[in-house]
Amino acid sequence: MNLSVVFRPSIFVVLCLIVVSVSSCAMKSGAKNSSEVNDDHSERHILESKELKKIMHSLDHVDFHQELNSLQIDDERRRRFIRFSEELIEMSKRIVQFADNGGSALLDGEQKKAFVVLAQRLNSQGKEIGLLAEAYRMEALGFAKNRIEQTCNECHTRFRK
Amino acid sequence: MISHILNGKGAVRNIFNALLLLGAFIFNVPVLQAAENPNIKGEIQQLRAQMEKIMQRIEQLEAQQPGISSLESTSTRDEAKVGSSVLAATPKSPEVAIMDDVSATAKPQGRGFLELNHNDSVLSFGGRISADAVYDWPDGSFSPKTAPLDSSGENGQLKYDLRNSRLWFKTRTPSEWGMVRTLIEADFWGSSGNETNNNSHNLRLRHAYLEVGGLKIGQTWTTFLPYATADTMMDPANINWIRQPQIRWTIESNDFTYALALENPETILTDTLGSDLAPDDDQLPDFVASVSRTDDWGGASASVLLRQIRQDKATPSGGSEFNKSDEAFAWGLGASARIKTVGDDDIRFGFQYGDGIGRYVAGQAYGAGSIDDQGNIDLQTAWGTYAAYRHWWSPKWRSTFAFALAGTDNNINVVPNSVNKDAMSYQMNLFWTPFENSLFGLEYGHLERELESGQTGEIDTLYMRALYDF
């Protein structure tokens, strides 16, 4: 039996409850009255952000068993960073699609450009982190992760309240 | 990377692209702010001036390339080398290339590493400071093999030590076969120093191996070790952490990881006096095959162990050399899983079972089999199992509750009733990680063991640890 069938629904339900409680203040006030497309996107983005936060937390050394050696930790972190990279790239693509499909209609021209630029930057940074992980550049991954956090924070500061 | 951008046929175009992308990625903050500012023209002029400064800086760095300090240049040079193998396989977008340049020149990369120019290697070194305080009552060890029996227990003892501190060196070197990685790690569980004067404990080898592609050669954890183990400081009753020399081939395919290993054999038998007998007559390596999978829901593994148990005119304790040899083939099965539950919490469980599995379970509390007065080997079954739940109170605080069992089926017509029969342990802990790479832990554990005679022993242990990986 696929265990994910058992556990994913429960995690999904918990996350949905969280989303319901916070989604009302998730976007700018203007977004509250926007189309359903906007609402769907913001809810999904919040879910994805929570999942990404979990992955980012799992990248810290604290998560690993004390008996693992340095190469084993590198292997595990590398695997998680590659997954992190894939998630980021997918997320950034969806953000760009969202903008292309008129989801950012409430933003003026320059704001929309900024929104897209930030999404593209997230995409590039996601690719960068994947390349660094593939190349075993473990020393550089921490800084790359910090830059992604900066991009996320910048976008949230500008477009989420 | 800088030279990669500036050199070549498309240098002019690349410079132009670089200017544009630098503006987009480095100065996007002022660009975006300008968009909301009515005085956009002025902002754009400022940006242009800043970009010119950056280009001047890049040119300076390009001119100073040989003189850049080793820390700053390592990532750039390293990427150039890696680029020929791994990175070359995936073309970089100009955006990524520029960001790499920025990151490579702006900050030292990582901690404790340097570049060995003569063979394109990157050498890293690091270690761990682990200050442990242990209080046992009665005095003894938290082990299913040697936990104090009721009749031999003394009142508690407090001990401090730093023997779990470690040092390690590792390298990575690009090659035609992929990245070659090596590791040497030692702790201080070598010969013991005295507590009276200087506690000068000696180094002990933990790991020493190289890895290239899927091939691993050297000493490290046995492939039979469960994928998921309890997040505890003391070992639960079911497990034995074995490190031994081995040759392992790992294949990764479709989310599954397969491993085949030939590992150092070591026969341990229980003689008629109940003592461990190590004949040192092994002829075939221990063979381990395992499969594991890691997914969003957690991960799981299963493994098979096949081994030869052999003695050739061995000498038992208190006896004379056998005049014959004997051998048997043993097997073992293992499985473990880690399944995510709520939030970052997870539940872990696993078991190991086998005939002649011996030293692979329960802290080597049981032999692979018995050996009688004539030198005949009779394998015995042994098993170990555990379940643990790890809960995160917050991103920096977590606890694990673990419960473990282990046991064996002794050949009581051969061995005395003073041998170990089964064991049980439970543990709970609280770990705090106030900053990266640190851990402060407090763990309580209780362990019981029972002999074939029915005699029991138990130990309670309070374990405190302050740990920092550097």
Side-chain angles (χ1 to χ4, degrees):
Chain A
M1 182 176 153
N2 188 346
L3 291 169
S4 61
V5 173
V6 177
F7 289 95
R8 274 183 176 156
S10 60
I11 295 169
F12 180 75
V13 168
V14 171
L15 288 176
C16 282
L17 290 173
I18 295 168
V19 167
V20 167
S21 64
V22 300
S23 59
S24 60
C25 58
M27 298 290 283
K28 278 189 170 180
S29 56
K32 284 181 183 175
N33 303 318
S34 64
S35 66
E36 289 183 4
V37 176
N38 247 345
D39 291 339
D40 290 346
H41 173 80
S42 61
E43 285 182 13
R44 188 170 64 182
H45 186 71
I46 289 169
L47 278 174
E48 288 172 339
S49 298
K50 286 182 183 297
E51 190 59 33
L52 278 177
K53 257 191 171 178
K54 275 189 191 177
I55 298 174
M56 289 173 92
H57 181 236
S58 77
L59 297 172
D60 293 339
H61 285 268
V62 300
D63 191 50
F64 301 108
H65 197 284
Q66 295 166 48
E67 290 297 336
L68 295 184
N69 66 46
S70 182
L71 287 191
Q72 287 177 301
I73 290 174
D74 282 354
D75 287 339
E76 186 62 20
R77 293 186 81 219
R78 180 172 176 263
R79 187 185 62 75
R80 295 181 190 187
F81 266 113
I82 289 172
R83 187 180 156 227
F84 184 46
S85 160
E86 292 167 352
E87 295 279 341
L88 281 173
I89 292 168
E90 288 304 312
M91 176 192 266
S92 62
K93 283 179 183 171
R94 278 194 287 272
I95 294 172
V96 173
Q97 283 173 1
F98 167 72
D100 289 344
N101 294 337
S104 57
L106 292 170
L107 303 176
D108 64 32
E110 294 299 329
Q111 283 179 325
K112 186 177 176 182
K113 279 181 189 172
F115 187 74
V116 173
V117 164
L118 283 168
Q120 287 171 340
R121 178 157 62 144
L122 188 66
N123 185 282
S124 295
Q125 289 174 333
K127 287 176 183 170
E128 178 199 37
I129 220 162
L131 290 168
L132 290 172
E134 291 284 352
Y136 291 93
R137 287 270 304 277
M138 309 308 295
E139 304 89 357
L141 282 168
F143 295 113
K145 191 183 84 166
N146 291 342
R147 287 196 292 274
I148 287 166
E149 284 176 335
Q150 287 168 6
T151 301
C152 292
N153 289 337
E154 188 176 333
C155 195
H156 291 170
T157 303
R158 287 178 167 279
F159 302 109
R160 182 195 281 187
K161 284 186 179 175
Chain B
M1 188 55 61
I2 295 169
S3 59
H4 173 72
I5 293 174
L6 295 179
N7 294 338
K9 294 178 182 177
V12 175
R13 188 174 62 246
N14 284 338
I15 290 172
F16 182 68
N17 288 339
L19 281 168
L20 289 177
L21 289 163
L22 275 172
F25 285 98
I26 302 172
F27 299 108
N28 63 83
V29 177
V31 166
L32 299 176
Q33 286 171 346
E36 296 172 353
N37 191 327
N39 191 11
I40 292 173
K41 286 184 180 176
E43 295 286 336
I44 288 173
Q45 284 174 353
Q46 286 180 12
L47 280 175
R48 282 180 179 158
Q50 286 173 332
M51 274 199 293
E52 285 173 7
K53 284 181 184 175
I54 283 289
M55 285 310 297
Q56 287 172 2
R57 172 68 178 150
I58 288 174
E59 286 168 5
Q60 285 173 2
L61 288 172
E62 179 70 8
Q64 296 169 0
Q65 184 79 358
I68 294 173
S69 69
S70 59
L71 279 180
E72 287 186 340
S73 64
T74 297
S75 60
T76 306
R77 292 184 198 167
D78 177 48
E79 185 168 295
K81 292 156 201 158
V82 174
S84 62
S85 54
V86 181
L87 293 183
T90 311
K92 276 189 173 185
S93 66
E95 296 92 328
V96 173
I98 285 169
M99 281 191 293
D100 281 354
D101 282 346
V102 171
S103 64
T105 54
K107 298 174 182 176
Q109 297 287 294
R111 56 207 171 101
F113 80 105
L114 56 91
E115 185 180 15
L116 301 178
N117 290 316
H118 67 281
N119 64 352
D120 293 343
S121 292
V122 174
L123 168 68
S124 308
F125 59 89
R128 166 175 297 177
I129 298 296
S130 180
D132 297 347
V134 187
Y135 189 85
D136 296 321
W137 68 97
D139 177 24
S141 59
F142 194 85
S143 161
K145 183 180 177 72
T146 58
L149 298 171
D150 290 341
S151 57
S152 62
E154 300 174 357
N155 290 324
Q157 184 192 5
L158 175 65
K159 288 173 282 190
Y160 291 160
D161 74 61
L162 282 92
R163 302 183 75 176
N164 286 309
S165 299
R166 298 174 190 170
L167 289 170
W168 53 255
F169 296 86
K170 65 180 178 181
T171 66
R172 66 170 192 268
T173 309
S175 81
E176 292 175 358
W177 286 23
M179 195 66 75
V180 181
R181 298 191 301 156
T182 65
L183 173 75
I184 295 180
E185 181 184 291
D187 61 21
F188 291 87
W189 281 100
S191 56
S192 174
N194 66 73
E195 292 182 55
T196 312
N197 198 18
N198 48 30
N199 291 278
S200 50
H201 310 294
N202 286 321
L203 282 171
R204 177 186 71 167
L205 180 66
R206 286 174 62 84
H207 301 272
Y209 64 91
L210 72 86
E211 203 176 85
V212 55
L215 183 64
K216 183 180 290 182
I217 301 173
Q219 174 171 309
T220 189
W221 299 116
T222 174
T223 314
F224 195 64
L225 194 70
Y227 155 83
T229 51
D231 187 14
T232 57
M233 292 188 284
M234 295 178 286
D235 296 339
N238 67 299
I239 199 166
N240 193 27
W241 292 84
I242 293 180
R243 292 182 297 270
Q244 57 191 10
Q246 60 193 270
I247 301 170
R248 186 189 304 176
W249 182 255
T250 304
I251 303 164
E252 296 196 8
S253 171
N254 296 330
D255 299 328
F256 286 92
T257 301
Y258 306 90
L260 299 172
L262 300 175
E263 304 190 359
N264 183 57
E266 177 70 347
T267 294
I268 303 289
L269 297 165
T270 308
D271 64 22
T272 54
L273 295 178
S275 301
D276 287 345
L277 172 64
D280 286 332
D281 295 323
D282 308 290
Q283 289 183 325
L284 296 175
D286 289 0
F287 172 78
V288 185
S290 77
V291 57
S292 60
R293 180 184 172 117
T294 305
D295 208 330
D296 291 346
W297 49 264
S301 71
S303 52
V304 178
L305 167 71
L306 299 173
R307 57 192 299 231
Q308 180 198 41
I309 305 298
R310 182 173 184 271
Q311 71 84 13
D312 185 9
K313 298 178 182 175
T315 304
S317 58
S320 55
E321 182 181 289
F322 299 125
N323 59 5
K324 62 171 288 189
S325 63
D326 193 15
E327 66 179 18
F329 285 90
W331 59 270
L333 297 173
S336 68
R338 169 186 172 182
I339 298 169
K340 294 177 184 174
T341 56
V342 180
D344 290 330
D345 292 8
D346 59 60
I347 187 169
R348 307 166 188 215
F349 47 86
F351 79 91
Q352 289 168 304
Y353 178 88
D355 192 24
I357 197 172
R359 66 190 175 97
Y360 283 91
V361 291
Q364 202 185 317
Y366 319 121
S370 60
I371 184 165
D372 65 16
D373 289 334
Q374 307 303 312
N376 298 308
I377 293 172
D378 189 6
L379 298 180
Q380 65 191 65
T381 57
W383 55 273
T385 185
Y386 87 100
Y389 190 84
R390 183 167 77 164
H391 174 67
W392 291 82
W393 304 102
S394 75
K396 293 185 176 180
W397 291 85
R398 69 181 192 266
S399 290
T400 287
F401 307 89
F403 180 76
L405 294 168
T408 190
D409 184 14
N410 289 299
N411 305 312
I412 53 174
N413 54 341
V414 174
V415 299
N417 62 6
S418 60
V419 296
N420 286 310
K421 180 184 177 186
D422 53 41
M424 176 276 288
S425 71
Y426 55 81
Q427 293 148 269
M428 57 197 76
N429 59 40
L430 179 63
F431 290 166
W432 177 42
T433 53
F435 46 89
E436 192 176 5
N437 302 324
S438 68
L439 183 143
F440 293 86
L442 176 65
E443 182 168 302
Y444 165 74
H446 175 84
L447 186 141
E448 296 177 12
R449 69 169 171 136
E450 183 179 3
L451 309 185
E452 279 292 347
S453 63
Q455 189 178 11
T456 60
E458 62 182 45
I459 183 171
D460 294 278
T461 300
L462 194 60
Y463 204 109
M464 290 157 279
R465 171 171 288 171
L467 177 153
Y468 181 71
D469 285 340
F470 58 89

